[in-house]
Amino acid sequence: MKKETIQEAIGKFIYNERKKQKLSLTALSIKVYKNKCSATRIGNIEKGKTKNYSINTVFEIFYALNYDLREIFKE
């Protein structure tokens, strides 16, 4: 059985949260990047296809979904 990668786990979280908030990829792209051109990029992150992206990218997406990534690391 293949173990889920961190990229797949992050992608799944983003996908599920986006759907819960009833946001399209385009709408999320506009919230994160202020344009609709990055919807494919976010879609690839959700699917776990993009393996190399910065923590800043994750932070910006989580922030747009109303999650503060810094909270995860607080005691």
Side-chain angles (χ1 to χ4, degrees):
M1 181 189 228
K2 182 183 168 260
K3 192 172 183 181
E4 183 177 60
T5 67
I6 188 71
Q7 291 91 344
E8 290 167 337
I10 289 170
K12 227 184 256 183
F13 176 83
I14 292 168
Y15 174 82
N16 290 332
E17 193 55 38
R18 179 175 63 80
K19 288 298 187 180
K20 192 187 309 177
Q21 294 184 28
K22 297 183 174 134
L23 290 170
S24 67
L25 277 171
T26 301
L28 183 56
S29 177
I30 290 168
K31 283 183 84 169
V32 175
Y33 298 108
K34 311 295 184 251
N35 69 62
K36 60 183 178 181
C37 300
S38 297
T40 302
R41 180 177 186 205
I42 295 172
N44 285 335
I45 290 171
E46 286 182 350
K47 294 172 190 161
K49 288 183 178 180
T50 302
K51 301 295 182 198
N52 297 315
Y53 48 85
S54 72
I55 192 69
N56 288 335
T57 298
V58 175
F59 175 80
E60 292 296 330
I61 294 171
F62 274 46
Y63 186 79
L65 292 169
N66 299 314
Y67 279 87
D68 189 343
L69 194 58
R70 294 172 295 190
E71 291 296 318
I72 294 170
F73 300 104
K74 286 187 177 180
E75 292 185 293

